Amino acid sequence: MPGAIGVDIDYPGYDGRILPFANASQDAVYSSHCLEHIADHIKAIQEWHRVLRIGGHIITVVPSAHLYERRARVPSRWNTDHRRTYTPATLLAEFEAALPPNTYRVRHLADNDAGYRYDLPPEIHPEGAYEIELVVEKIAAPGWMMAG
């Protein structure tokens, strides 16, 4: 994507918590298979929202507890750095806990199981897609929220 900036832990000015961008300065934040590794995931979601312009989108992809882990809790069979597992409901609940109501809209929430091998037993690493996709759009907070 032209003009995209990849921010990793060694990005100049990034301390692993606060993105080195001004408020409302980015069109999108894309996080793939990252949120499940972040200790303070609520603050991370708030930070992603902070840097978004009105009309911008957070695109988040995480492994599905039901498809990847095939169980509801950590530890992960496949990645010991996973701090949490996700279902569509728990991923959405984290965004709802992190962001003020009426400052975002859910635009997409889906299991991606394209090519997933449902026939493989739990002790075999899953094949195919095994993730949850969530897209939220930042919207302007209504005036009545600002007045109080």
Side-chain angles (χ1 to χ4, degrees):
M1 181 154 69
I5 300 169
V7 176
D8 208 334
I9 199 69
D10 60 352
Y11 187 86
Y14 183 52
D15 66 0
R17 293 182 0 260
I18 307 299
L19 290 169
F21 305 114
N23 294 350
S25 64
Q26 304 299 307
D27 294 319
V29 173
Y30 177 76
S31 171
S32 179
H33 294 262
C34 178
L35 191 60
E36 67 276 10
H37 297 274
I38 298 172
D40 197 347
H41 54 290
I42 298 297
K43 290 283 188 196
I45 294 167
Q46 291 168 341
E47 184 63 7
W48 298 344
H49 192 256
R50 177 191 69 80
V51 301
L52 274 186
R53 291 184 177 108
I54 300 300
H57 294 85
I58 299 171
I59 303 108
T60 308
V61 180
V62 296
S64 167
H66 297 154
L67 299 176
Y68 184 66
E69 299 296 345
R70 300 179 220 150
R71 61 180 167 187
R73 291 183 180 75
V74 291
S76 170
R77 286 185 182 101
W78 315 114
N79 188 324
T80 58
D81 192 44
H82 285 184
R83 297 170 183 261
R84 287 167 305 288
T85 60
Y86 288 101
T87 66
T90 61
L91 179 59
L92 184 57
E94 286 189 359
F95 273 75
E96 289 175 340
L99 303 177
N102 300 313
T103 64
Y104 69 96
R105 288 289 168 263
V106 174
R107 296 301 183 205
H108 175 81
L109 176 61
D111 284 309
N112 177 6
D113 65 349
Y116 185 79
R117 295 272 315 272
Y118 283 94
D119 60 322
L120 294 178
E123 62 275 6
I124 304 294
H125 191 279
E127 292 181 20
Y130 41 74
E131 56 212 11
I132 302 164
E133 304 164 343
L134 173 63
V135 178
V136 299
E137 179 183 9
K138 184 175 184 176
I139 63 170
W144 55 263
M145 284 184 71
M146 307 303 208

